[in-house]
Amino acid sequence: MSDNLRARAEERVEKKIKFYRNLQTYIVVNAFLAIINWFFTPEFGWVLFPVFFWGIGVFKDFLIAFVFVDRFSDDYRERKIQEEMEKLRD
């Protein structure tokens, strides 16, 4: 039980670290792109495209790390398989 609990905790921490790293990179790179956009082509806000589409990925990482915490884990998959097997037996 303790090993399983530790494995689940490690998985959660890894998801949170992935989110924070992605968010940090997202902010730094998009700030740099915004500066480039402002200096060289202020008449066209092309920076909004990477901000929006990359933002979708960052939002997905947020949902996986903080909202749907155990929803997509191996334990969840195994529980659902067991539930389906029980339904098929009945």
Side-chain angles (χ1 to χ4, degrees), residues 26-69:
Y26 172 81
I27 291 169
V28 170
V29 170
N30 283 312
F32 182 69
L33 291 176
I35 292 168
I36 291 172
N37 187 185
W38 185 55
F39 277 114
F40 294 105
T41 54
E43 64 277 355
F44 179 63
W46 54 264
V47 73
L48 296 177
F49 294 108
V51 167
F52 177 74
F53 290 109
W54 192 354
I56 292 172
V58 172
F59 183 65
K60 177 199 65 109
D61 286 344
F62 169 78
L63 291 177
I64 290 172
F66 295 101
V67 177
F68 302 113
V69 176

Side-chain angles (χ1 to χ4, degrees), residues 11-26 53-69 72:
E11 184 180 346
R12 283 183 175 190
V13 168
E14 287 301 318
K15 288 177 182 178
K16 290 178 182 181
I17 289 172
K18 179 184 176 188
F19 166 71
Y20 285 125
R21 284 183 181 159
N22 196 3
L23 179 63
Q24 179 182 10
T25 305
Y26 172 81
F53 290 109
W54 192 354
I56 292 172
V58 172
F59 183 65
K60 177 199 65 109
D61 286 344
F62 169 78
L63 291 177
I64 290 172
F66 295 101
V67 177
F68 302 113
V69 176
F72 303 108

